[in-house]
Amino acid sequence: MKDVIIKFTEKPELEDGIMIEGLPGVGNVGKLAAEHLVEELSMIKFAEVYSKYLPPQVTVGEDGVVSLVKHDLHYRKGKDGQRDIVVLTGDFQGLTPEGQYELSMAAIELAKELGVTTVFTLGGYGVIKLIEEPGVLGAVTSASLKPRLEEVGVSFKKGEPSSGIIGASGLLLGLGQLENIAGVCLMGETSGYFVDPRSARSVLTVLGKYLGFELDYSSLEEKAKQIDEI
C-alpha cells in the first residue's frame, strides 16, 4: 500500500480558498467543530484519504458493512463574497511522528493543487478545569494575521501554548508556512476531561465572524447539556 492514497469523486477548483482541519484532539474540539461546519453548510464530499499511518482497522456501520478508516474532505463554494472552503475531518490522526508528517504534507500538497491560500486548524486548549464560557486562543504563521483575529475575539497569550501545538493542527501550519500558505490555529479552552461541544461552539463562533457566515448551534447546545448532566 502507498503511504497516502487520495480517492476523488470530483476535484473542485477554488479561488483564494481556505482549508479547515478538524481532527480528534484535546476535548475533540476540532473534530466536533469541523463536523458541525460540514453539516450546517451542507458541504459536498469530494475525496477520501487512506493511509497505512492510520490505525489498522475498519469501522462497522449499523448495517454491518465495514469501511476502512480514513480522512474525509468536503467543500463549499463561497457565496455573497465569502471565500471557498475545504474541510478536512476524520476519526483518527496519524499513529506515528512519520505518519503525522506524511498525512499533513499530503494535505498541504492537495491544498496547493486546489487553490487554497490559507489553512485554519481547529483544536482544544487544555486548562484542566471546567469552563462555562470557553475563550479561544490563537496562533498564526505571521503577525500580520493577528489584528483581524483579535477583532473577532481571538486572544494571543505570550508563550502559550507553552508546549507548542502537537499533531496535525500544528504541522499543517508549519508545513504550510514552508509552502507560502498562511496559517491560523484556533484553540477553544477546554478541561480536556471529556468531549467538549461548548468549546467547539466558541471556536466556530469566532471562525464564523472571521469568514462571514452564521450557523445554527442547537445540536451542539444539546450535546453540551448532555455532558453537563453527566
Side-chain angles (χ1 to χ4, degrees):
M1 181 179 182
K2 294 181 180 179
D3 291 348
V4 180
I5 298 172
I6 304 178
K7 290 187 174 292
F8 295 94
T9 53
E10 63 173 295
K11 191 174 288 187
E13 294 183 2
L14 309 180
E15 184 176 345
D16 191 23
I18 292 175
M19 176 177 278
I20 300 170
E21 170 270 331
L23 293 170
V26 180
N28 257 8
V29 174
K31 175 177 166 60
L32 273 175
E35 290 179 345
H36 189 77
L37 188 63
V38 167
E39 182 177 353
E40 287 297 315
L41 295 183
S42 300
M43 300 183 74
I44 301 169
K45 184 175 177 179
F46 71 93
E48 297 175 340
V49 181
Y50 299 91
S51 175
K52 66 182 183 182
Y53 295 116
L54 294 173
Q57 68 186 76
V58 295
T59 57
V60 182
E62 293 181 359
D63 57 359
V65 177
V66 304
S67 299
L68 191 64
V69 296
K70 63 187 185 303
H71 291 169
D72 294 317
L73 288 153
H74 297 74
Y75 81 95
R76 176 183 186 264
K77 296 291 288 183
K79 301 177 182 179
D80 301 323
Q82 297 172 348
R83 293 172 66 179
D84 298 342
I85 298 173
V86 169
V87 174
L88 170 66
T89 61
D91 292 324
F92 301 96
Q93 293 206 31
L95 290 173
T96 65
E98 180 184 9
Q100 290 276 9
Y101 270 93
E102 292 289 344
L103 285 164
S104 296
M105 195 65 231
I108 290 298
E109 289 173 350
L110 175 60
K112 288 178 62 180
E113 183 179 348
L114 295 176
V116 167
T117 57
T118 308
V119 172
F120 275 77
T121 64
L122 313 180
Y125 174 64
V127 293
I128 322 298
K129 63 180 179 180
L130 299 177
I131 296 181
E132 190 67 28
E133 294 295 333
V136 178
L137 184 69
V140 293
T141 56
S142 170
S144 63
L145 296 168
K146 290 173 63 176
R148 172 67 180 132
L149 290 164
E150 289 173 327
E151 286 178 9
V152 297
V154 180
S155 63
F156 292 87
K157 300 179 181 179
K158 187 175 181 179
E160 293 293 339
S162 58
S163 58
I165 304 171
I166 298 171
S169 289
L171 282 178
L172 287 172
L173 299 192
L175 294 174
Q177 192 174 32
L178 295 179
E179 299 294 331
N180 297 315
I181 295 177
V184 176
C185 183
L186 300 177
M187 296 163 278
E189 292 179 328
T190 178
S191 67
Y193 298 146
F194 41 72
V195 174
D196 197 338
R198 189 168 282 114
S199 182
R201 173 174 180 165
S202 292
V203 168
L204 282 177
T205 299
V206 165
L207 185 63
K209 290 178 181 178
Y210 187 91
L211 298 180
F213 57 74
E214 295 183 2
L215 302 175
D216 181 354
Y217 296 107
S218 56
S219 62
L220 282 179
E221 290 170 356
E222 183 59 34
K223 291 176 182 177
K225 289 178 183 178
Q226 293 172 1
I227 294 295
D228 288 343
E229 291 173 2
I230 293 173

